[in-house]
Amino acid sequence: MPYYYGNYGSENRGFLGGTPPVTRNLIILNIIVFIATLINREFMTAEFALFYPTSRYFHWWQILTHMFMHGGFWHILFNMYTLWLFGSVVENIIGSKKFLLFYFICGLGAAGLHLGVEFLQMQSFMEGAALGNNVALQNIAVIKLTPTVGASGAIYGVLIGYAMLFPASKMTLLFPPVTLSAKWMVIVFAAIELLTGVTGTVAGVAHFAHLGGMLIGWLMIFYWRKRGKLFDKDSL
């Protein structure tokens, strides 16, 4: 695929110079927001992280802005590295306009499934609270006061997009150093996210947001491929 290596040539070797424009600008914007969060974490979290819709901290724009928020250095490092590694490839293949749409719809899908699961939890807790269950009341407060941050939902969509484009390509985890085809790697990731999300064994991670991003990513690539528009960079 010569256009993958040739569209963004060696004439631009500055910071992220060889990275296609949407992926590059997403990374830069995430870094800017992260720096702003380091300067004033309380304000940035209250205004731009995603809160449950009935929380006093909720604002409608958080559906989008939470995708640019991160909880710490390692969180943003791994997310941006993954976005750079796989987003660059997917963007070069399907085109920048389509990739931008793909990225944000995956992120919105991730937020939608995450909030949907929280809604179901809230219904259960509210029934318990109506019966005077103090633990249920505490759980309601936790959901309303817990912010969701990170680009992971959108990036999981990018990851499954890459795997659908190059299912036989090899991917190796840093730890443990396991190598699998991209197809099987994302299947393993999805299974782990589903298992940990259902069992709650890994707290502090929006597992269903990851699954939501993967589901929407799969649906979009499937739709474009079925309509014969996947490699048409001028069509959506």
Side-chain angles (χ1 to χ4, degrees):
M1 300 175 189
Y3 52 86
Y4 170 58
Y5 296 100
N7 276 356
Y8 305 95
S10 58
E11 69 278 0
N12 186 0
R13 293 184 178 274
F15 177 63
L16 296 174
T19 307
V22 171
T23 300
R24 179 177 66 246
N25 290 328
L26 285 171
I27 292 172
I28 291 172
L29 186 54
N30 272 276
I31 292 172
I32 291 172
V33 173
F34 181 68
I35 293 172
T37 304
L38 293 178
I39 295 171
N40 193 336
R41 181 173 296 278
E42 183 176 348
F43 169 78
M44 292 294 291
T45 300
E47 292 297 316
F48 302 117
L50 177 62
F51 286 87
Y52 190 73
T54 59
S55 170
R56 67 178 182 270
Y57 295 110
F58 176 77
H59 301 290
W60 64 266
W61 57 78
Q62 294 171 354
I63 298 294
L64 286 173
T65 57
H66 82 280
M67 300 182 205
F68 299 94
M69 297 284 294
H70 288 87
F73 174 76
W74 293 109
H75 189 198
I76 190 172
L77 177 65
F78 284 119
N79 271 354
M80 293 304 100
Y81 175 72
T82 305
L83 175 58
W84 171 75
L85 192 64
F86 298 105
S88 297
V89 178
V90 176
E91 182 178 349
N92 277 327
I93 296 297
I94 69 175
S96 295
K97 180 171 66 174
K98 188 175 292 181
F99 179 74
L100 181 63
L101 179 68
F102 179 77
Y103 183 88
F104 277 106
I105 291 183
C106 286
L108 291 174
L113 186 57
H114 173 72
L115 292 176
V117 170
E118 284 192 330
F119 173 78
L120 295 177
Q121 292 174 329
M122 286 288 281
Q123 299 309 300
S124 175
F125 294 146
M126 288 174 68
E127 291 177 4
L131 299 174
N133 188 322
N134 289 330
V135 174
L137 286 170
Q138 293 172 3
N139 287 331
I140 290 173
V142 168
I143 289 178
K144 288 186 175 183
L145 296 176
T146 301
T148 300
V149 298
S152 302
I155 291 172
Y156 266 75
V158 172
L159 187 62
I160 200 167
Y162 174 86
M164 292 178 74
L165 290 168
F166 304 100
S169 65
K170 299 300 180 182
M171 299 173 62
T172 302
L173 293 175
L174 294 177
F175 183 82
V178 176
T179 299
L180 293 172
S181 68
K183 173 184 175 181
W184 283 105
M185 187 69 79
V186 297
I187 289 174
V188 170
F189 282 175
I192 292 173
E193 293 296 334
L194 181 60
L195 178 63
T196 52
V198 170
T199 60
T201 51
V202 181
V205 178
H207 300 288
F208 288 101
H210 298 168
L211 288 170
M214 295 181 82
L215 175 61
I216 296 301
W218 183 85
L219 288 172
M220 291 187 72
I221 296 295
F222 177 81
Y223 171 79
W224 280 328
R225 180 174 282 165
K226 189 175 181 64
R227 295 288 300 273
K229 296 181 177 182
L230 182 58
F231 302 107
D232 183 355
K233 297 184 180 183
D234 296 321
S235 66
L236 298 176

